[in-house]
Amino acid sequence: MPPKILIIDDDSSLRRVLEYNLEQEGYHVYTAEDGAAGLRLFEEKSPQLVITDLKMPGMTGFEVLSAIKERAPATVVIVLTAFGAIDTAVEAMKLGAFHYLTKPFNREELKITVLKGLQLQGLSEENRLLKEELSGRTEFNSIVGTSRAMEGVFSVVRKVADTEATVLITGESGTGKELVARAVHSGSSRREAPFVAVNCAAIPKDLLESELFGHVKGAFTGAIRDKEGKFQLADGGTIFLDEVGDLPLELQPKLLRVLQERVVEPVGGTSLQKIDLRVVAATNADVERSIAEGKFREDLYYRLCVIPIQLPPLRERVEDIPLLIRYFCTKFGAEGVSFTKEALARLQEYTWPGNVRELENTVERLLIMREGDQIGVDELPGKISAVASPAEGGVLRLPAGGYSLEQLEMEAVIEALNRCDWNQTAAARFLRIPRHTLIYRMEKYSIVQPGRK
């Protein structure tokens, strides 16, 4: 449906000129000769944009503006004013008008002002729908997404949040694992108690035991007083063990004991402390492979993975990217900024190895460096703007005589490894396969890094 525009002016010739010019631009136009008639049409037709003269007999343009803003605050109102009465127009803008046009004005000026007003109205409506969507599921905090993949995640969270089951969240870096953990906590009866997050990969190995389980005075050099660990601090609430796949093997039995018996033994202590908490863990590692390699205890894995939640990478839910971009624009105070269709298409075609975190950083950088209020393809980072769209063709040019699928697969693996400097995790992400699948293919085709045996 074309946007609907209402014109309110007592000058019949000006009304006809406005109506003709706007209909030529493809808009659906209604006209009224005074404020009262205009408000009746407004109630009946619900236009997205209103153009009203300020000086009219009977109801003034100021009164029309106030009435419209009271009924539908998101409606864009453009006021018309005579040359030399700019102060009056500025006063109208203080009351909520989007902009003003000074008589006489040309068609291009009218066209640009109306177009910008409708763009603002579209963004306001998009933000309203976004806020409605988020307010309908407040337990999900800042998790944005309407794709089928994310709705599946939301469904699991709703079912398990208010239970005591241990949850293991898996997914690539940047997919929002901590946000999901916080959603599980927020939806539980423990929501008023502490939520304690621990990154098991970020704490030095020789300090991790004390950080998790606490220590008693004199347990080691520098232990001048008793100290509670993260488990004790989370008592009554939820502890989130991020990157649990990197937990040292020698600490895994202590974690298993916490899960089984809900007791903690501080470093250097001789007595056990009972605790009451919910455990949510997360990892981007291939835990099953770590088990096979003897780096992770199988019994601990099954204790952690009572409820598994797999977060999809951003490239598998590209339909959420426009919504995420709008969310980040709002977050960074740039609600009036938009992206061209071409820019959005390139952003959706990019593979996003850093997932939602990378998208957020990219949007923030674009907002800071932008030249105007619309961001186009030429402003995108080179690695994104250079992505070929589907219309530009695929990546394969097979010979007419046919080609071996195994040879093709081997070449794809080698090409991905070369592009990623033989980083297996990055190459697997590039090929959109699990790391253990990549390693299997490397073994199958005897692929080794040049210079290594």
Side-chain angles (χ1 to χ4, degrees):
M1 290 290 292
K4 293 182 287 186
I5 297 176
L6 171 61
I7 299 168
I8 307 173
D9 199 305
D10 61 322
D11 185 337
S12 59
S13 61
L14 181 59
R15 285 200 311 272
R16 286 195 295 272
V17 170
L18 288 170
E19 182 179 15
Y20 173 79
N21 286 330
L22 292 173
E23 285 182 342
Q24 288 295 301
E25 295 299 322
Y27 302 123
H28 199 141
V29 183
Y30 306 95
T31 64
E33 62 184 7
D34 57 50
L39 286 180
R40 287 194 295 271
L41 265 177
F42 181 81
E43 294 282 2
E44 181 183 343
K45 304 298 183 182
S46 300
Q48 288 94 340
L49 186 143
V50 175
I51 300 174
T52 180
D53 194 6
L54 285 177
K55 192 174 181 180
M56 296 183 292
M59 181 177 284
T60 68
F62 284 103
E63 292 172 317
V64 170
L65 172 62
S66 298
I68 288 174
K69 286 297 178 181
E70 184 178 343
R71 289 166 170 78
T75 305
V76 174
V77 180
I78 297 171
V79 296
L80 305 177
T81 186
F83 179 76
I86 304 300
D87 54 340
T88 305
V90 171
E91 188 64 30
M93 291 178 69
K94 290 179 181 178
L95 295 175
F98 165 68
H99 214 307
Y100 65 89
L101 290 170
T102 305
K103 303 175 189 177
F105 48 83
N106 58 45
R107 176 173 178 170
E108 193 63 24
E109 186 181 2
L110 170 68
K111 173 182 167 182
I112 292 172
T113 304
V114 167
L115 180 61
K116 287 185 175 180
L118 288 171
Q119 286 175 343
L120 176 65
Q121 200 278 338
L123 292 175
S124 298
E125 178 66 11
E126 195 174 333
N127 287 334
R128 183 187 68 79
L129 293 173
L130 174 60
K131 289 174 182 176
E132 283 184 1
E133 179 200 347
L134 294 177
S135 64
R137 46 180 177 80
T138 54
E139 73 274 19
F140 296 126
N141 298 318
S142 300
I143 309 175
V144 177
T146 57
S147 62
R148 180 176 297 182
M150 288 308 296
E151 285 299 333
V153 172
F154 298 146
S155 176
V156 175
V157 171
R158 289 188 189 99
K159 291 176 182 176
V160 307
D162 204 18
T163 70
E164 292 299 303
T166 304
V167 176
L168 179 63
I169 306 166
T170 56
E172 296 177 6
S173 294
T175 49
K177 294 187 288 292
E178 183 169 342
L179 292 178
V180 173
R182 290 184 181 275
V184 170
H185 174 71
S186 297
S188 73
S189 58
R190 299 177 181 269
R191 66 179 64 89
E192 302 300 327
F195 176 90
V196 178
V198 186
N199 189 322
C200 299
I203 302 172
K205 182 178 178 180
D206 54 346
L207 296 179
L208 186 56
E209 183 177 12
S210 173
E211 283 294 312
L212 287 175
F213 306 104
H215 63 253
V216 299
K217 180 180 178 180
F220 48 83
T221 303
I224 59 175
R225 63 176 66 88
D226 290 355
K227 177 188 174 183
E228 290 187 328
K230 300 297 186 182
F231 281 102
Q232 292 97 321
L233 294 175
D235 193 21
T238 301
I239 189 166
F240 173 53
L241 301 176
D242 197 8
E243 304 301 348
V244 73
D246 294 324
L247 190 70
L249 190 61
E250 59 267 27
L251 293 186
Q252 293 177 24
K254 293 193 73 168
L255 175 56
L256 182 62
R257 188 174 192 179
V258 172
L259 294 172
Q260 289 177 332
E261 303 175 23
R262 290 298 191 267
V263 294
V264 170
E265 182 180 357
V267 177
T270 56
S271 60
L272 300 176
Q273 300 177 10
K274 291 196 68 68
I275 54 172
D276 171 32
L277 48 69
R278 170 84 169 277
V279 177
V280 179
T283 183
N284 62 5
D286 184 348
V287 180
E288 293 184 2
R289 182 174 181 83
S290 296
I291 293 171
E293 294 174 348
K295 297 177 182 178
F296 203 88
R297 293 178 59 116
E298 187 172 18
D299 50 358
L300 175 58
Y301 172 68
Y302 289 118
R303 279 286 181 177
L304 289 169
C305 197
V306 176
I307 303 293
I309 298 179
Q310 173 71 40
L311 285 185
L314 187 56
R315 61 182 173 273
E316 292 181 6
R317 57 182 188 106
V318 294
E319 60 268 46
D320 288 333
I321 288 178
L323 189 63
L324 284 161
I325 290 173
R326 180 52 40 211
Y327 174 82
F328 293 138
C329 286
T330 302
K331 176 180 177 179
F332 296 126
E335 295 187 7
V337 176
S338 62
F339 287 67
T340 65
K341 290 182 179 179
E342 294 78 10
L344 283 175
R346 291 299 169 93
L347 289 163
Q348 289 180 289
E349 288 154 10
Y350 179 59
T351 56
W352 297 107
N355 293 293
V356 179
R357 186 184 297 119
E358 183 185 1
L359 175 62
E360 179 177 4
N361 293 341
T362 300
V363 171
E364 183 178 13
R365 183 167 63 253
L366 289 169
L367 293 175
I368 293 171
M369 303 301 293
R370 75 184 191 275
E371 296 295 331
D373 286 341
Q374 188 172 62
I375 295 173
V377 172
D378 57 338
E379 296 178 74
L380 301 179
K383 63 182 180 181
I384 298 175
S385 61
V387 173
S389 66
E392 296 171 10
V395 297
L396 295 180
R397 293 293 184 271
L398 297 177
Y403 201 74
S404 164
L405 179 60
E406 286 197 344
Q407 181 69 21
L408 186 66
E409 184 177 60
M410 182 177 72
E411 290 179 6
V413 170
I414 293 173
E415 174 67 16
L417 287 164
N418 282 327
R419 286 195 183 202
C420 300
D421 296 323
W422 288 80
N423 181 308
Q424 294 176 359
T425 301
R429 186 182 300 129
F430 179 83
L431 293 170
R432 305 183 188 183
I433 59 175
R435 184 172 176 272
H436 65 84
T437 301
L438 173 70
I439 293 171
Y440 168 75
R441 295 290 191 275
M442 291 175 67
E443 293 172 350
K444 176 181 177 181
Y445 299 121
S446 301
I447 299 172
V448 294
Q449 184 174 354
R452 292 190 179 184
K453 293 185 178 180

